[in-house]
Amino acid sequence: MQFQQLQYFVAVAETRHFTRAADLVHVAQPSLSQQIKALERELGADLFRRARGNITLTDAGEALLPLARRILADADTARQEVQELAQLRRGRVRLGATPSVCTGLLPDVLRAFHDRYPGIRLLIEEGGSHDLVRELARGALDLALVVLPLPTPSPALTTVELLREDLVVVSSPDAPSPGRGRRTVRVCDLEGERLVMFRHGYDLRELTVAACRAEGFEPDFAVEGGEMDAVLGFVRAGLGVAVVPRMVAARSGRGLRVTPLARPGLHRVIALAHRSDVAPPRAARELQRMLLER
């Protein structure tokens, strides 16, 4: 009994027609008929009653059909499992993340993932949440770490909250301390401070500006338009203060004064997002698991 013969048998049983079955399995009809006859000889029983224009299963065929379907399903499962294991030895994961997440959260997780799966290439794309959502939707990314709430909610995406992170104020140790030297700073204390501000489209920019306006003032920018590394460099140089995630400040604290925000403070929610209609590849699902369990 050959695996291919079982495929042909199931195709005929489901279509009740030899020619349509041959088209379904992409083989010439005479070849399919020969293989069915060879299977019947092997089993010592007819599997089909062949009347003109009417193909039905015999009792032997009825008994074989569920077993054949199970064998084919098990073979398909085995193929998928082996392919997925192979994907963890080679392949790629396309991960999008905001620049601040790349600086604060990802290095340790990506190092652990690379140590476990050295054959997987990690392709990282930095961008704001709006850009990352667009790249996910068009299939250019497998996963993305975005800031909630999304700028444009999308029912085509599945998001899982990963962490809730406090924001802090960073300043140069050589400059006067924000908030007149208090241990914590209120958002209203930023009125009159010169801020180093991120570029337009940066999630932290919108969050900081909205918080200042909620306190009744417009923030004063000393310099604006930078990415995370540039903003931290400008702060170190004494150009102004900036509001950044605590994790970023902890990693980049050298040459910076870090002052917490007084309660209720400011925070952001980082979520892991992927398309709802397409399951991420096996390697991407493994990275997803490591991020969620970090």
Side-chain angles (χ1 to χ4, degrees):
M1 186 185 302
Q2 298 177 10
F3 182 78
Q4 189 178 59
Q5 291 172 339
L6 294 179
Q7 288 181 305
Y8 294 172
F9 163 71
V10 170
V12 175
E14 291 179 346
T15 62
R16 302 301 170 103
H17 197 283
F18 277 78
T19 301
R20 285 198 291 269
D23 291 339
L24 185 65
V25 295
H26 308 293
V27 68
Q29 190 270 327
S31 296
L32 180 139
S33 295
Q34 290 172 6
Q35 290 298 319
I36 293 294
K37 289 179 181 178
L39 179 60
E40 289 176 325
R41 287 195 300 270
E42 172 73 19
L43 295 174
D46 290 339
L47 300 174
F48 299 102
R49 297 184 184 91
R50 299 164 175 84
R52 184 177 297 275
N54 186 24
I55 303 295
T56 60
L57 286 165
T58 64
D59 290 344
E62 293 283 3
L64 177 61
L65 183 58
L67 298 173
R69 283 174 170 159
R70 189 185 312 158
I71 291 169
L72 295 177
D74 287 345
D76 190 56
T77 299
R79 185 185 304 110
Q80 291 181 15
E81 287 295 324
V82 171
Q83 288 175 346
E84 289 191 345
L85 287 173
Q87 287 179 24
L88 294 178
R89 290 194 293 270
R90 60 184 181 272
R92 69 178 184 183
V93 176
R94 302 169 301 171
L95 175 66
T98 62
S100 57
V101 172
C102 285
T103 302
L105 172 65
L106 282 184
D108 291 341
V109 176
L110 293 187
R111 181 183 62 201
F113 182 85
H114 180 70
D115 289 346
R116 185 174 299 180
Y117 307 110
I120 303 296
R121 287 188 302 137
L122 293 166
L123 305 178
I124 308 301
E125 179 170 333
E126 290 187 82
S129 294
H130 181 79
D131 295 333
L132 296 177
V133 166
R134 185 176 65 247
E135 293 300 286
L136 273 175
R138 74 181 188 90
L141 295 173
D142 300 312
L143 302 170
L145 291 163
V146 297
V147 178
L148 296 182
L150 293 175
T152 305
S154 172
L157 293 181
T158 297
T159 58
V160 180
E161 184 174 321
L162 198 61
L163 65 92
R164 187 176 295 260
E165 185 178 17
D166 291 336
L167 303 183
V168 297
V169 178
V170 292
S171 57
S172 169
D174 299 327
S177 178
R180 297 185 178 88
R182 290 192 295 270
R183 290 186 177 183
T184 60
V185 178
R186 299 168 299 174
V187 173
C188 63
D189 293 330
L190 298 179
E191 185 174 10
E193 293 282 355
R194 306 295 306 281
L195 296 183
V196 178
M197 185 49 65
F198 301 96
R199 62 171 171 80
H200 285 283
Y202 216 89
D203 301 289
L204 288 170
R205 179 190 180 105
E206 277 72 29
L207 195 156
T208 303
V209 170
C212 292
R213 288 174 177 167
E215 292 293 329
F217 70 95
E218 284 292 323
D220 181 16
F221 300 154
V223 60
E224 59 177 315
E227 300 281 351
M228 180 60 71
D229 288 343
V231 165
L232 295 175
F234 295 150
V235 171
R236 288 190 186 95
L239 289 172
V241 304
V243 177
V244 303
R246 183 184 294 277
M247 194 179 301
V248 171
R251 280 189 169 272
S252 310
R254 190 174 179 182
L256 292 172
R257 177 197 293 121
V258 179
T259 307
L261 282 161
R263 292 182 179 180
L266 296 176
H267 67 269
R268 64 173 185 171
V269 176
I270 305 297
L272 189 59
H274 63 83
R275 287 176 59 177
S276 303
D277 59 338
V278 179
R282 174 67 185 273
R285 297 201 306 272
E286 183 63 14
L287 177 58
Q288 181 181 36
R289 183 190 66 78
M290 293 178 70
L291 282 164
L292 293 172
E293 292 180 357
R294 82 199 191 294

